[in-house]
Amino acid sequence: MLADEFSELIQARRSVRDFRPDPVPDEVLAAILDDARHAPSWSNTRPYCLAVASGEQLDRLRASYTAAFDASLPLQHLEPIAVAKAALTGGLPDGDFKTWGRYPDDLRPRSMKVGVGLYRHLGIERGDRAARDAQSRRNCEFFGAPSVAWVFVHKKLLPFSAHDAGLMLQTLMLSAKARGVDSCALGVLATWRSPIEAEFVIPARYQLITGLALGYASDNHVNDFRAEHPPITLAEPR
Ligand SMILES: Cc1cc2nc3c(=O)[nH]c(=O)nc-3n(C[C@H](O)[C@H](O)[C@H](O)COP(=O)(O)O)c2cc1C
């Protein structure tokens, strides 16, 4: 493959936030996973595992994740009674990692930029909480994707296991794109572990770090959104 073609493939991959219902054929999924196994990893430990769901199993997961999302809305809105109640009754998100924390001050503007850009693209006003919640909820519907992977990292090899999972995921997403399959990482799914636990046997030493939606982009306007990709930050030489 020419370098130009490789760059083209890399730049063609982007986060898709509305999928057609068409399933990804089993053999295509298998080929993508087969490519992903060639990603490098710390001491070749491959310190991650995936749970991949589609069909009826994915429908059940969609129902569980949207239910968890709906139940968490008062918490997300920081309604004081809801926060106190959730703390007392164990109704807080049960993910292995905190996904709702405030971004570090130097990174916050970057996150704000993509968030504000996406909502503006969708015509959602800053103060329109109902529309924002509805768009957020789409994450927990997996944007209608026909296949979703949940990604777990070995807790005894962090941070390297998380790093290696990232390498594997980008390999997977590029292989998918080369086969016409679009994707969107779904970090928001790491907020809740119990729904995926109900469907797959996940060893306790593996922690849920992100989800990944796979499928075919629809022609919905949301998919015309383009995130910025400024140059990599380079440290100044002394
Ligand atoms: C680990 C990870 C988790 C992500 N989680 C979400 C998510 O929950 N929802 C979402 O819409 N996008 C999610 N994204 C997509 C990013 O917002 C996106 O990659 C970034 O804005 C750059 O845009 P691009 O992927 O279109 O190039 C995630 C990306 C990564 C790498």
Side-chain angles (χ1 to χ4, degrees):
M1 184 192 243
L2 294 171
D4 283 353
E5 282 180 86
F6 187 55
S7 297
E8 212 175 286
L9 173 67
I10 291 169
Q11 289 171 41
R13 189 230 42 93
R14 59 196 163 76
S15 295
V16 157
R17 296 188 175 87
D18 194 70
F19 292 87
R20 302 201 310 261
D22 316 49
V24 181
D26 287 347
E27 62 276 16
V28 175
L29 260 184
I32 292 169
L33 288 172
D34 197 53
D35 278 345
R37 80 190 159 96
H38 294 284
S41 68
W42 191 270
S43 203
N44 208 15
T45 47
R46 289 101 63 201
Y48 39 74
C49 67
L50 293 184
V52 186
S54 48
E56 284 176 15
Q57 190 178 38
L58 190 60
D59 290 340
R60 285 196 299 274
L61 281 159
R62 195 175 276 118
S64 311
Y65 273 93
T66 48
F69 175 86
D70 292 344
S72 75
L73 268 182
L75 271 179
Q76 292 190 47
H77 297 161
L78 289 176
E79 291 165 12
I81 292 171
V83 175
K85 201 172 141 198
L88 286 174
T89 60
L92 291 169
D94 62 358
D96 297 313
F97 301 105
K98 228 170 91 188
T99 57
W100 288 349
R102 190 186 155 88
Y103 286 89
D105 287 345
D106 57 326
L107 300 180
R108 213 169 122 77
R110 297 183 181 182
S111 160
M112 293 275 293
K113 190 156 199 181
V114 77
V116 168
L118 181 62
Y119 284 126
R120 189 171 294 147
H121 176 82
L122 294 173
I124 297 173
E125 300 285 336
R126 203 171 155 65
D128 189 349
R129 188 189 261 182
R132 289 170 71 100
D133 288 345
Q135 179 55 29
S136 261
R137 193 176 193 271
R138 289 287 293 147
N139 282 272
C140 291
E141 294 170 355
F142 321 138
F143 300 129
S147 289
V148 178
W150 277 256
V151 185
F152 299 84
V153 293
H154 200 298
K155 70 175 174 191
K156 298 287 187 183
L157 205 64
L158 284 167
F160 309 111
S161 52
H163 169 270
D164 291 350
L167 292 173
M168 181 274 296
L169 272 186
Q170 171 72 337
T171 309
L172 195 157
M173 288 190 276
L174 290 181
S175 169
K177 189 68 204 171
R179 297 164 198 282
V181 177
D182 295 298
S183 59
C184 185
L186 284 172
V188 71
L189 300 187
T191 312
W192 301 277
R193 179 171 172 125
S194 45
I196 190 70
E197 281 272 358
E199 295 288 336
F200 289 88
V201 182
I202 313 292
R205 61 186 182 282
Y206 280 91
Q207 296 185 301
L208 176 58
I209 196 153
T210 189
L212 178 76
L214 289 166
Y216 301 97
S218 76
D219 56 11
N220 188 298
H221 175 62
V222 70
N223 290 334
D224 298 331
F225 176 71
R226 295 289 177 270
E228 268 190 3
H229 288 279
I232 303 275
T233 306
L234 296 176
E236 292 292 334
R238 282 195 198 281

